[in-house]
Amino acid sequence: MNIQATCPTLSKLAPRRPLFIKGGYVMTMDSAGDLADSDVRIENGSIAAIGNNVPTHDAEVVDARGCIVMPGLVDTHWHMWTSLLRNMSGACGLPYGGLIVKLQPAFKPEDMYLSVTLAAAEALSSGITTVHDWCHNLPTIEFAEQDLRALSEIGIRARFSFGALFGLKGDQLMDLATLRRLAQHWSSFSSEGRLRLGMAWRGMLDLYFNEKGQVCSRMTPEAVWRTEYDMARELNLPISLHANLASADATHIGALAERGMLYSDFQIIHGLSASDTDIQAMAAAGSSLSVAPVAAMRTGLGLPRILDFERAGVKVGLSIDSTPFAGNADMFALMKLARMVENAVNHTEFAIAPRRLLELATIEGSRTLGLDDQIGSLAVGKRADVIIVDTRHVNMAPFTYPDHMLVEAAQPANVDTVIVDGRIVKSAGRLTVVDTTQLAAEAGRANLAIRSRDPSR
Ligand SMILES: [Zn+2]
């Protein structure tokens, strides 16, 4: 199993070179706070120095005057393989689940490569430097290989969570042999540690959509869920699970807690119907929550619940989820929406501060993925995942309060420069790692081809 080295739409990743980000408003997102008119020097993919009057050491200068310099944004759950189906959920009367079940069998391994490349290109362009690629379209190992190849070649940081095929019957085991094989050979896939492996788990309840598109659930046999869970623990993998989306699966977190199955690397997605007891159990176990505000509301599942979990001490991160219904991967809009929901629900303008949302989108998001020792804030020794947001654009000027500017006014188009692991992947507002015009054209052709192969046509 080797990742292919070449790709028609991607140039090879540029070698790292020393970088000197000059004169920006640096938001470290850690105890050092904000540093006006400051510099960041990057060497060997990590942050070597931050502050005023940092020596350049002959590094390549990136002018950040008039810009905010901050950690790259962190997504905590995204079904990247669905990006070729962007904006199709709900069209032709098919809800998201129905759309995925219908078109998933028409995907080929090369579609996985293209879809994940499209999603990752959008992420990088939007300032998201880390993604949690939650993959549930893996009928053969080639699908996993092509997904991982896309993540590797484009240069993004990711956790790849290996899941059961979407729609797999609840009494059938996911492909544990392939998961074990990937785990045993992970050094071939990890791209110098940029990529991590996890399990995208179905859990103890089998979720499915009925003919009306409503979420339903039924118990999975213990022989299935216990075998899958035990494999993840044996391989020392983090587990991620969609749970308590609706009333149909409102017992899921409680059932896991009852059996002592929650732990610090266990991520719950959504948690919309979680009880206070469930939330307390997650906090006690150190488990995290991935909140997808756009997904929760766009699909009619309900309102996201950030403060309920935060107040109990649960680690919380933000997530894109899936662009067939989310449309795009705009983390700025997502922060803004999350804030509006909490303010509206709590009947105050001050329910959650913009600074806290920025923390959720950076350092807290990295904490939920177990990456906070590497990324999520700008500090000497951390890996250099950095974005530069140009505040001189008409939708952001004048320069006032940077945390408010980012949550209330910023858009992906304001992201001028993106650096992942010390490599520039976006410069002067343009991606350097992919020809986006060609990528969009290929995505269009692939979308039509997938629809033409729809087995239910
Ligand atoms: Zn999801």
Coordinates of all heavy atoms in Angstrom, one line a residue, residues 81 83-85 88 103 106-108 110-115 118 438-454:
W81 N -15.7 13.4 1.6 CA -16.0 12.7 0.3 C -17.3 13.1 -0.3 O -17.5 12.8 -1.5 CB -16.0 11.2 0.6 CG -17.2 10.6 1.4 CD1 -17.3 10.5 2.7 CD2 -18.4 10.1 0.8 NE1 -18.5 9.9 3.0 CE2 -19.2 9.7 1.9 CE3 -18.9 10.0 -0.5 CZ2 -20.5 9.2 1.7 CZ3 -20.2 9.5 -0.7 CH2 -21.0 9.1 0.4
S83 N -18.2 16.2 -0.9 CA -18.1 17.5 -1.5 C -18.5 17.6 -3.0 O -18.9 18.6 -3.5 CB -16.7 18.2 -1.3 OG -16.7 18.7 0.0
L84 N -18.3 16.4 -3.7 CA -18.8 16.4 -5.1 C -20.3 16.5 -5.2 O -20.8 16.7 -6.4 CB -18.3 15.1 -5.8 CG -16.8 15.1 -6.2 CD1 -16.5 13.8 -6.9 CD2 -16.4 16.2 -7.2
L85 N -21.0 16.4 -4.1 CA -22.4 16.5 -4.1 C -22.9 17.8 -3.5 O -24.0 17.9 -3.0 CB -23.1 15.3 -3.4 CG -22.6 13.9 -3.8 CD1 -23.2 12.8 -3.0 CD2 -22.8 13.7 -5.3
M88 N -26.6 19.6 -3.2 CA -27.6 18.7 -3.7 C -28.6 18.2 -2.7 O -29.7 17.6 -3.0 CB -27.0 17.5 -4.4 CG -26.3 17.9 -5.7 SD -25.5 16.5 -6.5 CE -26.9 15.5 -7.0
L103 N -26.5 7.8 -4.0 CA -25.3 8.1 -4.9 C -24.0 7.5 -4.4 O -23.0 7.4 -5.2 CB -25.2 9.6 -5.1 CG -26.3 10.2 -5.9 CD1 -26.0 11.7 -6.1 CD2 -26.4 9.5 -7.3
A106 N -22.4 4.9 -6.5 CA -21.9 5.3 -7.8 C -20.5 5.9 -7.8 O -19.9 6.2 -8.8 CB -22.9 6.4 -8.4
F107 N -20.0 6.1 -6.6 CA -18.6 6.7 -6.4 C -17.6 5.6 -6.8 O -17.7 4.4 -6.5 CB -18.4 7.1 -5.0 CG -18.7 8.6 -4.7 CD1 -20.1 9.0 -4.7 CD2 -17.8 9.5 -4.4 CE1 -20.4 10.3 -4.5 CE2 -18.1 10.8 -4.2 CZ -19.4 11.2 -4.2
K108 N -16.5 6.1 -7.5 CA -15.3 5.3 -7.7 C -14.2 5.8 -6.9 O -14.2 7.0 -6.4 CB -14.9 5.4 -9.2 CG -16.0 4.8 -10.2 CD -15.5 4.9 -11.6 CE -16.5 4.2 -12.5 NZ -16.0 4.3 -13.9
E110 N -11.4 7.1 -7.7 CA -10.9 8.4 -8.1 C -11.9 9.6 -7.8 O -11.4 10.7 -7.7 CB -10.7 8.4 -9.7 CG -11.9 8.0 -10.5 CD -11.8 6.5 -10.9 OE1 -11.4 5.7 -10.0 OE2 -12.2 6.1 -12.0
D111 N -13.2 9.3 -7.6 CA -14.1 10.3 -7.1 C -13.8 10.7 -5.7 O -13.9 11.9 -5.3 CB -15.5 9.9 -7.2 CG -15.9 9.6 -8.6 OD1 -15.6 10.3 -9.5 OD2 -16.6 8.5 -8.8
M112 N -13.3 9.7 -4.9 CA -12.9 10.1 -3.5 C -11.7 11.0 -3.5 O -11.7 12.0 -2.8 CB -12.5 8.8 -2.8 CG -13.6 7.8 -2.6 SD -14.9 8.4 -1.5 CE -14.1 8.2 0.1
Y113 N -10.8 10.7 -4.4 CA -9.6 11.6 -4.5 C -10.0 13.0 -4.9 O -9.6 14.0 -4.2 CB -8.7 11.0 -5.5 CG -7.5 11.9 -5.8 CD1 -6.4 11.9 -4.9 CD2 -7.4 12.8 -6.9 CE1 -5.3 12.8 -5.1 CE2 -6.4 13.6 -7.1 CZ -5.3 13.6 -6.2 OH -4.3 14.5 -6.4
L114 N -10.9 13.1 -5.9 CA -11.3 14.5 -6.3 C -12.2 15.2 -5.3 O -12.0 16.4 -5.0 CB -12.1 14.3 -7.6 CG -12.3 15.5 -8.5 CD1 -11.0 16.2 -8.8 CD2 -13.1 15.1 -9.8
S115 N -13.1 14.5 -4.7 CA -14.0 15.1 -3.7 C -13.2 15.6 -2.5 O -13.4 16.7 -2.0 CB -15.0 14.1 -3.2 OG -16.2 14.8 -2.7
L118 N -11.2 18.6 -3.5 CA -12.0 19.8 -3.5 C -12.3 20.3 -2.1 O -12.2 21.5 -1.9 CB -13.3 19.4 -4.3 CG -14.4 20.5 -4.4 CD1 -13.9 21.6 -5.3 CD2 -15.7 19.9 -5.0
Q438 N -9.1 24.3 -12.8 CA -9.1 22.9 -13.3 C -9.8 22.0 -12.4 O -10.6 21.1 -12.8 CB -7.6 22.4 -13.5 CG -7.5 21.1 -14.2 CD -6.1 20.6 -14.3 OE1 -5.1 21.4 -14.1 NE2 -5.9 19.4 -14.7
L439 N -9.6 22.2 -11.1 CA -10.3 21.4 -10.1 C -11.8 21.5 -10.1 O -12.5 20.5 -10.1 CB -9.7 21.8 -8.7 CG -10.3 21.1 -7.5 CD1 -10.1 19.6 -7.5 CD2 -9.8 21.6 -6.2
A440 N -12.3 22.7 -10.3 CA -13.7 22.9 -10.4 C -14.3 22.3 -11.6 O -15.4 21.7 -11.6 CB -14.0 24.4 -10.4
A441 N -13.5 22.4 -12.7 CA -14.0 21.7 -14.0 C -14.1 20.2 -13.8 O -15.0 19.6 -14.2 CB -13.1 22.1 -15.1
E442 N -13.0 19.6 -13.2 CA -13.0 18.2 -13.0 C -14.2 17.8 -12.0 O -14.8 16.7 -12.2 CB -11.7 17.8 -12.4 CG -10.6 17.8 -13.5 CD -9.3 17.2 -12.9 OE1 -9.3 16.5 -11.9 OE2 -8.2 17.5 -13.5
A443 N -14.4 18.6 -11.0 CA -15.5 18.3 -10.1 C -16.8 18.3 -10.8 O -17.7 17.4 -10.5 CB -15.5 19.3 -8.9
G444 N -17.0 19.2 -11.7 CA -18.3 19.3 -12.5 C -18.5 18.0 -13.3 O -19.6 17.4 -13.3
R445 N -17.4 17.6 -14.0 CA -17.5 16.4 -14.8 C -17.8 15.1 -13.9 O -18.6 14.3 -14.3 CB -16.2 16.2 -15.6 CG -16.1 17.1 -16.8 CD -14.9 16.7 -17.7 NE -13.6 17.0 -17.1 CZ -12.9 18.1 -17.2 NH1 -13.5 19.1 -17.9 NH2 -11.8 18.3 -16.7
A446 N -17.1 15.1 -12.8 CA -17.3 13.9 -11.9 C -18.7 13.9 -11.3 O -19.3 12.8 -11.2 CB -16.2 14.0 -10.8
N447 N -19.2 15.0 -11.0 CA -20.6 15.1 -10.5 C -21.6 14.5 -11.5 O -22.4 13.7 -11.2 CB -20.9 16.5 -10.1 CG -22.4 16.7 -9.7 OD1 -23.3 16.8 -10.6 ND2 -22.6 16.6 -8.4
L448 N -21.4 14.9 -12.7 CA -22.3 14.4 -13.8 C -22.2 12.9 -14.0 O -23.1 12.2 -14.2 CB -22.1 15.2 -15.1 CG -22.5 16.7 -15.1 CD1 -22.1 17.3 -16.4 CD2 -24.0 16.8 -14.8
A449 N -20.9 12.5 -13.9 CA -20.6 11.0 -14.1 C -21.2 10.2 -13.0 O -21.8 9.2 -13.2 CB -19.1 10.8 -14.2
I450 N -21.1 10.7 -11.8 CA -21.7 10.0 -10.6 C -23.2 9.9 -10.8 O -23.8 8.8 -10.6 CB -21.3 10.7 -9.3 CG1 -19.8 10.5 -9.0 CG2 -22.2 10.2 -8.1 CD1 -19.3 11.4 -7.9
R451 N -23.8 11.0 -11.2 CA -25.3 11.0 -11.3 C -25.7 10.1 -12.4 O -26.8 9.4 -12.4 CB -25.8 12.4 -11.5 CG -25.6 13.2 -10.2 CD -25.5 14.7 -10.5 NE -26.8 15.3 -10.7 CZ -27.0 16.6 -10.8 NH1 -26.0 17.4 -10.7 NH2 -28.2 17.1 -10.9
S452 N -24.9 10.0 -13.5 CA -25.2 9.1 -14.6 C -25.1 7.7 -14.2 O -25.7 6.8 -14.8 CB -24.3 9.4 -15.8 OG -23.0 8.9 -15.6
R453 N -24.3 7.4 -13.2 CA -24.1 6.0 -12.8 C -25.1 5.6 -11.6 O -25.0 4.5 -11.0 CB -22.7 5.7 -12.3 CG -21.6 5.8 -13.4 CD -20.3 5.2 -12.9 NE -19.7 5.9 -11.8 CZ -18.9 6.9 -11.9 NH1 -18.5 7.4 -13.1 NH2 -18.4 7.5 -10.8
D454 N -25.9 6.5 -11.3 CA -26.9 6.3 -10.1 C -27.6 5.0 -10.3 O -28.3 4.8 -11.3 CB -27.9 7.5 -10.1 CG -29.0 7.3 -9.1 OD1 -29.0 6.3 -8.4 OD2 -29.8 8.2 -9.0

